[in-house]
Structures are given as C-alpha cells and as structure tokens.
Amino acid sequence: MKTTIASPDNKFYKILKKLDKKKYRDKNNIFKAEGEKFLKEKINFTKIIIKESKYEYLENKYKITQFNNLTILKDDLFDEISEQENSQGVIVLYSKLLTSIEEINGDIVILDDVQDPGNIGTIIRTMEASGFKNLILTKGSVDVYNPKTVRATMGGIFKLNIIYETPEIITEFLKDNDYQVISTLLDKNSIDYREVELKEKNAYIFGNEGHGISDIFVESTNVKAIIPIYGDVDSLNVSVASGIFLYKMREKIENK
C-alpha cells in the first residue's frame, strides 16, 4: 500500500515529528532509522517513509513498491523530520525489540549510566562485530533508539537483545544466575584485563564517562579489571575501552 502525505496536519505526520522525543518513541513503541542501508534491515519492519523527489531513484534501485506500508512525503515535510543535512531520502520505522531480563542467556555487556549517544552506538556496533548479543543498560542511560545512536550502530541495533533495568534488579539477576561479574575500574585490587579468567557465564560492566561504575555494581563485582594506559592521559573513552576489552574476551572464549 502506498500513500502520499502533503499536509503537516496529517495525523501520522504529527506522530513522525514527535519520534525525536523518547516519550513518544516509548508511547508508540517505534523508532526511526534514516538512510538507504536500513532498507536491508527488515527486522520488526513497520513502514518506509520516502522523500517525494527521491522516489523514482529509490524505486529503480530497490524496487520499494514491493514493500507494504510505503509513505511518500512532500519534500518540505520530509526535510522537517530528517536528521541528516544531505539525506538519502528514506526513513524506515521499526518496532522496538522488547526483551525481559529473564530471557537473557549467555554473556552480558552492562552499561551503567552511559550518556553519550555516539558512545552507545559504537559499543553496540562493536558488540555485534565481536559476537556479544546481550546488552543491559541501567535506567537513566541514554535511549538507544534516539536517531543519533541508531545511526552510529550501523545496523547493529537490530542484532542484539537490548533491555533497560534498575541496578538492583540487574545485580539480583546476576547473582541468582551465577554470573561472574567483571567490572572495568581503577582500584588497588584491579588486575590487567589480559589476566581475566572467564567462567561459564560472565557479565562485563562499563561505567559512566565521568564517574565510572556505581557502588552497587562495585560491591557485586567478582573481578576488577583495568586496561593499562602507557601515555599521559587519565582514562580511555568508554567506547574505546569496551572495544579493547570485548575483543580480548572474545579471544579468550575462542581459545578455551
């Protein structure tokens, strides 16, 4: 089905304009992803939004009329909701992947109050690349479904189990399910991350860019690990640190 929207008073168009705000993404259980690459990601696919002047090009390249729920927007309306200066003229709507903590199985990456959308997006992309599928974020962390984060994941957001929970529920789940909790933090008892010994189930915790991991996670930690710094800087960016750490853990898993 193909429809065209020419008026800013259209009810659906008003919803589209609100999707930049988390409360409306939550209310409608959808988020948007902009760019041609997302035409290849049909998981929980909801609707394609096309800029009118790009329709012929996209039809010739992707045969977009094969998709259901195709909406064409007049150029000025599309530009109002586009996040990109030089847009490719396509926005795809997806339903959120809702997962409960009880469904989690296998190793887990936990992000504690991480606030930067770009960092979160990069971590998600790194998790997919290094083969880790479970991501838990503490409530208060940035929303992974905001447009900047979705774009930074480069499609990785569709490949992971992603949930938000409170630190209390997360730590209780880890304890009840016999997880080894490994936290990256500067402490007198921290060991070199290369010396970490993995168990059957492991949870890797990375903290806020400014104040690190909260006390409740520190208290439940089994292994404190640190990535050595050889130059004159205080710390690593959380997305860089998680990339270094997770690839080393993947190497250990593969060498078991």
Side-chain angles (χ1 to χ4, degrees), residues 101 104 106-110 136 166-183 201-205 216-217 220-222:
I101 196 167
I104 294 294
D107 283 8
I108 303 170
V109 174
I110 298 170
I136 301 178
T166 64
E168 291 78 11
I169 290 177
I170 295 170
T171 53
E172 181 179 359
F173 171 81
L174 297 176
K175 181 180 178 180
D176 291 347
N177 289 275
D178 298 320
Y179 273 88
Q180 174 175 239
V181 179
I182 305 167
S183 294
K201 293 190 291 187
N202 306 279
Y204 314 104
I205 304 181
I216 188 171
F217 287 122
S220 66
T221 293
N222 304 117

Side-chain angles (χ1 to χ4, degrees), residues 2-7 10 50 52 70-74 77:
K2 180 175 71 174
T3 59
T4 299
I5 296 177
S7 170
N10 179 276
I50 299 295
E52 187 176 47
L70 181 66
T71 297
I72 299 170
L73 294 183
K74 294 292 185 180
L77 298 185

Side-chain angles (χ1 to χ4, degrees), residues 104-109 127 132-135 179 198-204 249-250 253 256:
I104 294 294
N105 184 35
D107 283 8
I108 303 170
V109 174
M127 285 180 62
F132 293 96
K133 299 295 186 180
N134 300 312
L135 174 61
Y179 273 88
L198 298 181
K199 294 191 176 180
E200 183 179 352
K201 293 190 291 187
N202 306 279
Y204 314 104
M249 297 306 107
R250 173 53 57 192
I253 292 169
K256 272 187 177 181

